[in-house]
Amino acid sequence: MDKAKISRRAFAGLALAACTGLVTPMAKAPRGRRVDALLARMSVADKIAQLNIPVCLPQELLGDSTDPTGTREHREAYVRGETVVGEKADRITLGPGGGLFGLVNQSLSGSVPVPHPLSPRQQALQHNHLQRLARANPLGIPLLQISEGTHGSVGPGSTIFPEGLALGATFDPRLIGRVYGAVAREARAVGIHALSTIMAELNRDPRYGRGAWSFSEDPYLTARMIEALVPAMQGDDLASPESVVTSLCTFPMEAPNTGGLETSSIEIGERVFRQTHLEPWRAGFGPAGALMTEASEQTVDGIVVHGSRRHLTELLRDELDFRGVVIGNDVRSLVREHVAGTAREAAGLALRAGVDISLSWDEIYLDQLAAAVREGGVEEALLDRAVRRVLTLKERLGLFENPYVDPDRAERVVNCAAHRELALQCARQSLVLLKNDPGKGGGGRELLPLSRDRVRTLALIGPNADDRLNLLGEYNAYPALHPTPSIREALRELVGDDVRIVHARGCEVTGTDTSGLAAARAAALQADVAVVVVGEQTKGGYFSPDRTDGELKDTASLDLTGVQERLLKEVHATGTPTIAVVVTGRALSLRWAAAHLPALLIAWLPGEAGGRAVAEALFGDVEPTGRLPVTFPRDVGQLPLSYDQKRARADADDYIDMPSTPLYPFGAGLGYTTFRYDRIRLTDDTIGADATTRVRVDITNTGERAGTEVVQLYVTDNQASVSLPYIRLRGVRKAHVEAGQRATVTFDITPSRDLTLVDDELRTVVEPGTFEIKVGRSSTDIRRRATLRVT
């Protein structure tokens, strides 16, 4: 073999395989033919093993179960093809396992204590060991290792980026692409091939705990994020050590669900789904080409998705041109919802619908699927279809040639300096300043940013002021294995001896204990300014009774939990100017804080660098440039309350007890300077459906310091055949402008891309007519308007 004709990476992989004696004929077979040859050699038990990639759970959660994921011995037996499933006549010995889900997430993101967490190097060695066991089988099929990747790889030591809405608040798709490119590099470096829980779903109900993973309530903004991150993760070559498969979740939707409850049904019709919710999926499965998705565990409009051929084949594959693998985590939903009478019947329904991989280690996709094939209830051709998809994905990942990773590279790549800096940059850009009025004695000057010359003593108060774990969000790398400073620690480092910091916890995130309020008042009374850090709690994992946000943590109230609002009131009553910093994974109803406090900063779940980013923003070392990716309601009783309401809701009267408008609208956010919007003009004000017009608007920085403006373009269809949202976001530009300077911001509008609607026959069309083009600072703060006619 001529070494000059193959890549260095491929040669290294072949050399490693050769020295371990694992270069098999299958590893050398041409692509395409390899999968056919393997299928011809595989038994039904071999094929079923490839379709089961179970979620790894700590053994202490499994009791006496022989689940193959609980112990090293069970995992190795599963990988070698020695796991027995079923009882009596249905009993089978599975072939070599297809892979594992979440192997590096030993603690379930902090749910279970791990005395000796694996370092990135050890994670790589563990994956290599299992791959060698898999390749030693005569079939030689490598493992497909999948893990969570919501805002970073979950292996201990990985970089923890801001989560969900924090990423959306940057309004910067290119930055998000860089984030997920880094996440992919770290995951692949330790032996992970696909990252799941990358959210293409919209965040339309803040009560829903899993909404913390989503980017935005808006389809346009979410689609641009997905469009940027998929190619950043998958790259030009999936076999590259930089690339992983992107698993977009959860198709077609798991929210907004009835009552905001995770397991409840979704009651949305086909036209609304296509008009509002489909855009991010088109972006992810179209040109971007994500190669994995997870089927929704919910019922959508009465249809159980795990058994829906209409959703998982006709819509997903035929219409959206998806060419990847569908994973399912709840095939039992077909039995639970009484769509299937037996587990065996459910197996046939799910396989026909298009579920390829099961994560749930359920008899339905194990012995019952084997029995259904044996009895003729399920055609083996359907089984072959799913297995072919899995093997083809493994082939595209280059795993037959080189399933191994370099432990030395894992040490170099995971949480490297560049990734830590990117986490900080993203945290800085995610912060949303919602209010900034003058404090007591401020002389008309806004309270933020704080000045080291004026603030000699700062009271830092609240349950999240010195809690680094609550900044990290859910599905994070636990333990971190690297510094993740709290806001208190970051402030101390930032201000040094210039500012005296007096700290008081005040209260907990939950509970009714008020014994700490006196210390909080005392701290505020001796300070020039008080910063009170309140919000939510995500630390502790699934089993923590005090966790208030994330998976399985839906809420009926959006008010601050425990006695946190009372803490704000007590500190404010001292007369010390008070700033509220809110750590949260959802929109909250902060009516009292908005009405009484001079400054309100939303920190979201800002990740490992969140403490430093908040400290820098408070003292003006950086400007908070984030904007709200979701609407903040006044009260939970207003829900649903996304910004893109139909005209009837937009024009509705107030409630008898409060205004019907949001507390803070979508797109809102302040900086540390001011901008004036001047001329708006279109290159053409009359165009056809496939033509393009350019929108230009001039903005001038009228403040005393440089700043970044997030310019937002919205459209209103003045007359349509169906009822449409009154206003829709169709463009975002971020412009950094020096003090006193002017910049021109441009947008391109193409009607066939930007001005479509779904008509009453479910066709996506452009209807001729006039459209109002609106440019401004938020969905309610429109500064300039123009009219476009589409012929």
Side-chain angles (χ1 to χ4, degrees):
M1 178 181 292
D2 185 355
K3 296 179 187 177
K5 293 183 179 179
I6 62 174
S7 69
R8 185 176 299 175
R9 178 190 56 76
F11 179 75
L14 288 172
L16 176 59
C19 73
T20 54
L22 296 179
V23 177
T24 66
M26 279 304 136
K28 298 177 180 179
R31 289 192 175 185
R33 283 172 31 198
R34 175 193 287 124
V35 172
D36 293 335
L38 275 171
L39 279 169
R41 294 172 56 195
M42 295 170 73
S43 67
V44 168
D46 292 332
K47 295 172 183 177
I48 287 175
Q50 289 297 307
L51 302 189
N52 283 274
I53 297 183
V55 176
C56 292
L57 296 172
Q59 185 63 34
E60 63 187 88
L61 300 180
L62 299 171
D64 297 329
S65 169
T66 58
D67 188 302
T69 67
T71 67
R72 175 174 177 151
E73 293 74 22
H74 289 159
R75 285 194 293 270
E76 291 180 351
Y78 158 76
V79 169
R80 287 193 299 262
E82 300 169 357
T83 299
V84 178
V85 295
E87 298 180 2
K88 298 180 180 178
D90 296 332
R91 192 176 183 87
I92 62 169
T93 300
L94 293 175
L100 296 164
F101 187 105
L103 179 60
V104 298
N105 190 9
Q106 300 167 273
S107 70
L108 287 183
S109 299
S111 301
V112 176
V114 177
H116 304 291
L118 298 183
S119 68
R121 179 182 183 84
Q122 291 169 324
Q123 294 164 36
L125 290 169
Q126 175 182 234
H127 280 126
N128 285 348
H129 169 67
L130 292 173
Q131 291 288 12
R132 290 189 183 96
L133 294 181
R135 296 301 299 276
N137 184 276
L139 289 173
I141 302 174
L143 301 170
L144 176 64
Q145 304 288 44
I146 311 174
S147 197
E148 305 285 0
T150 310
H151 58 123
S153 178
V154 293
S158 299
T159 306
I160 305 170
F161 292 94
E163 183 167 19
L165 293 178
L167 296 174
T170 68
F171 272 56
D172 193 339
R174 286 182 295 181
L175 177 62
I176 301 312
R178 291 174 58 203
V179 166
Y180 281 94
V183 172
R185 284 190 291 276
E186 293 196 4
R188 191 65 181 262
V190 302
I192 296 167
H193 310 119
L195 288 174
S196 188
T197 329
I198 313 298
M199 299 302 288
E201 285 190 76
L202 305 183
N203 186 318
R204 309 288 280 197
D205 191 332
R207 294 173 296 180
Y208 180 49
R210 283 194 191 182
W213 309 342
S214 299
F215 297 127
S216 174
E217 70 184 38
D218 178 65
Y220 174 87
L221 183 60
T222 302
R224 301 294 76 78
M225 299 292 189
I226 296 298
E227 199 171 56
L229 69 84
V230 172
M233 295 179 72
Q234 295 189 166
D236 296 326
D237 178 11
L238 269 182
S240 164
E242 305 278 311
S243 302
V244 297
V245 171
T246 308
S247 180
L248 298 181
C249 292
T250 304
F251 188 82
M253 58 199 314
E254 286 202 346
N257 32 31
T258 305
L261 292 169
E262 183 166 320
T263 57
S264 64
S265 62
I266 298 167
E267 306 298 334
I268 287 180
E270 183 77 4
R271 205 200 70 80
V272 172
F273 167 73
R274 287 180 171 274
Q275 181 71 59
T276 303
H277 296 267
L278 194 57
E279 185 174 357
W281 297 112
R282 287 196 187 279
F285 296 139
L291 290 171
M292 186 176 286
T293 189
E294 184 174 337
S296 171
E297 299 174 24
Q298 260 69 351
T299 64
V300 178
D301 199 20
I303 305 299
V304 182
V305 173
H306 272 63
S308 173
R309 188 178 186 281
R310 182 168 70 86
H311 285 115
L312 300 183
T313 296
E314 294 172 9
L315 174 59
L316 178 60
R317 295 188 181 275
D318 298 343
E319 182 175 338
L320 299 181
D321 201 30
F322 176 69
R323 290 294 177 264
V325 171
V326 175
I327 58 179
N329 197 25
D330 193 18
V331 289
R332 187 154 291 277
S333 61
L334 292 161
V335 177
R336 189 173 61 248
E337 295 289 340
H338 300 277
V339 172
T342 65
R344 202 163 300 183
E345 183 183 352
L349 285 174
L351 196 64
R352 290 187 192 95
V355 175
D356 301 313
I357 290 173
S358 173
L359 306 180
S360 51
W361 198 251
D362 191 297
E363 63 169 339
I364 292 175
Y365 251 46
L366 293 164
D367 52 284
Q368 293 304 300
L369 178 55
V373 173
R374 183 178 63 245
E375 295 170 359
V378 171
E379 309 93 310
E380 191 167 351
L382 285 175
L383 188 62
D384 288 351
R385 181 184 70 177
V387 176
R388 181 182 299 278
R389 291 169 179 165
V390 174
L391 295 180
T392 298
L393 190 61
K394 292 182 178 184
E395 189 174 52
R396 291 188 64 173
L397 283 158
L399 300 181
F400 286 94
E401 290 80 13
N402 180 22
Y404 309 108
V405 291
D406 180 356
D408 292 335
R409 183 174 185 274
E411 284 188 317
R412 293 193 306 270
V413 169
V414 175
N415 198 237
C416 64
H419 293 175
R420 292 194 299 272
E421 178 61 29
L422 182 58
L424 174 59
Q425 181 182 353
C426 195
R428 287 167 171 164
Q429 295 192 37
S430 72
L431 303 176
V432 181
L433 181 62
L434 289 179
K435 187 178 181 183
N436 192 18
D437 292 342
K440 183 179 179 181
R445 177 183 174 274
E446 290 85 359
L447 183 56
L448 290 175
L450 302 175
S451 167
R452 290 171 174 82
D453 296 331
R454 298 186 181 187
V455 176
R456 308 308 303 167
T457 300
L458 182 149
L460 183 62
I461 300 167
N464 282 329
D466 196 25
D467 195 325
R468 64 184 182 87
L469 293 181
N470 271 347
L471 302 178
L472 302 183
E474 195 179 31
Y475 279 130
N476 61 67
Y478 186 89
L481 303 184
H482 56 273
T484 57
S486 68
I487 294 173
R488 181 188 183 189
E489 292 166 337
L491 274 170
R492 283 191 182 280
E493 182 177 357
L494 181 73
V495 300
D497 297 329
D498 294 340
V499 179
R500 173 173 169 249
I501 298 176
V502 182
H503 173 251
R505 189 170 182 86
C507 67
E508 302 301 321
V509 171
T510 60
T512 59
D513 185 4
T514 60
S515 60
L517 295 181
R521 288 193 301 270
L525 284 168
Q526 57 184 301
D528 300 303
V529 67
V531 176
V532 187
V533 189
V534 294
E536 297 190 294
Q537 181 156 305
T538 54
K539 69 179 181 182
Y542 300 109
F543 311 116
S544 169
D546 297 320
R547 189 167 64 102
T548 64
D549 199 5
E551 188 169 7
L552 302 175
K553 291 298 178 180
D554 307 322
T555 182
S557 170
L558 297 176
D559 297 338
L560 288 170
T561 52
V563 295
Q564 292 184 94
E565 186 169 294
R566 181 173 171 185
L567 173 66
L568 290 174
K569 292 177 178 178
E570 296 272 356
V571 173
H572 173 67
T574 65
T576 301
T578 303
I579 302 160
V581 177
V582 185
V583 175
T584 180
R586 55 164 55 98
L588 295 174
S589 49
L590 303 168
R591 293 191 307 281
W592 188 90
H596 296 90
L597 301 185
L600 178 59
L601 181 70
I602 306 299
W604 307 109
L605 301 175
E608 67 177 52
R612 179 176 167 184
V614 169
E616 291 175 337
L618 290 173
F619 278 91
D621 291 16
V622 299
E623 179 188 30
T625 59
R627 299 294 183 261
L628 286 186
V630 288
T631 302
F632 271 47
R634 300 174 186 274
D635 186 83
V636 71
Q638 291 179 283
L639 301 182
L641 189 65
S642 57
Y643 85 97
D644 52 347
Q645 297 289 334
K646 305 293 193 301
R647 291 177 186 272
R649 174 65 182 267
D651 297 335
D653 294 334
D654 289 337
Y655 296 98
I656 62 170
D657 50 354
M658 70 179 63
S660 61
T661 55
L663 182 64
Y664 290 106
F666 174 87
L670 305 172
Y672 287 155
T673 187
T674 54
F675 285 88
R676 184 182 70 240
Y677 284 61
D678 296 313
R679 291 192 306 152
I680 185 173
R681 58 265 190 209
L682 310 181
T683 54
D684 295 287
D685 58 13
T686 302
I687 59 174
D690 294 319
T692 297
T693 188
R694 175 156 289 184
V695 181
R696 290 185 175 90
V697 64
D698 297 331
I699 62 172
T700 302
N701 183 342
T702 57
E704 298 178 353
R705 60 179 280 172
T708 298
E709 179 73 338
V710 182
V711 184
Q712 303 161 44
L713 182 146
Y714 297 86
V715 299
T716 295
D717 191 336
N718 290 327
Q719 184 175 349
S721 62
V722 294
S723 177
L724 292 175
Y726 172 70
I727 190 170
R728 292 185 288 167
L729 180 71
R730 302 315 291 171
V732 174
R733 297 289 185 272
K734 298 180 80 168
H736 184 78
V737 186
E738 296 296 323
Q741 298 300 304
R742 186 177 71 179
T744 299
V745 178
T746 63
F747 303 88
D748 288 335
I749 294 181
T750 303
S752 59
R753 181 191 65 203
D754 301 311
L755 303 178
T756 61
L757 61 80
V758 177
D759 67 14
D760 61 350
E761 297 182 9
L762 302 183
R763 300 172 303 182
T764 300
V765 299
V766 178
E767 293 184 344
T770 60
F771 296 80
E772 191 172 9
I773 308 302
K774 306 175 180 180
V775 178
R777 306 194 71 251
S778 77
S779 57
T780 61
D781 187 359
I782 302 301
R783 299 298 179 89
R784 287 290 180 266
R785 304 168 189 260
T787 299
L788 173 66
R789 179 176 298 278
V790 177
T791 58

